Amino acid sequence: DYKGQKLAEQIFQGIILVSAIIGFIYGYVIEQFCWTVYIFMAGFALSCLLTLPPWPMYRCNPLKWLPVQESGTEDKKAADRKPKKHTKN
């Protein structure tokens, strides 16, 4: 549902932002860029784990689909249909 998608997007962006800030500050303090990348990748993995699977918290507001409508076009058989003529320009 759309509310679940919005919630997943907000969680994803929040975790990415927080992990990027923490990773930058920690990497700056210890003067190791690799730790910045490690923390950011850990935040990315955590956010993927929390937002990619279809958890029940994202499916609280299911969409109501319209019922299938029967139409009269199904009565025609494939042999009864006229083939389309293609013209070359």
Side-chain angles (χ1 to χ4, degrees), residues 63-81:
L63 298 175
K64 305 254 189 287
W65 294 92
L66 293 175
V68 176
Q69 295 179 352
E70 298 294 327
S71 63
T73 58
E74 295 178 17
D75 296 336
K76 293 183 180 180
K77 294 181 181 176
D80 294 340
R81 295 182 187 150

Side-chain angles (χ1 to χ4, degrees), residues 76-87:
K76 293 183 180 180
K77 294 181 181 176
D80 294 340
R81 295 182 187 150
K82 293 181 182 178
K84 294 182 181 178
K85 295 181 181 179
H86 297 285
T87 59

Side-chain angles (χ1 to χ4, degrees), residues 12-62:
F12 182 79
Q13 288 180 356
I15 292 173
I16 292 294
L17 181 65
V18 169
S19 67
I21 291 171
I22 291 171
F24 178 77
I25 291 171
Y26 185 73
Y28 184 78
V29 168
I30 66 167
E31 297 179 0
Q32 290 288 322
F33 181 72
C34 64
W35 279 101
T36 300
V37 175
Y38 293 153
I39 293 172
F40 181 75
M41 288 183 350
F44 179 77
L46 177 65
S47 65
C48 286
L49 179 67
L50 291 176
T51 58
L52 289 180
W55 298 109
M57 66 182 178
Y58 302 129
R59 294 183 284 153
C60 294
N61 304 305

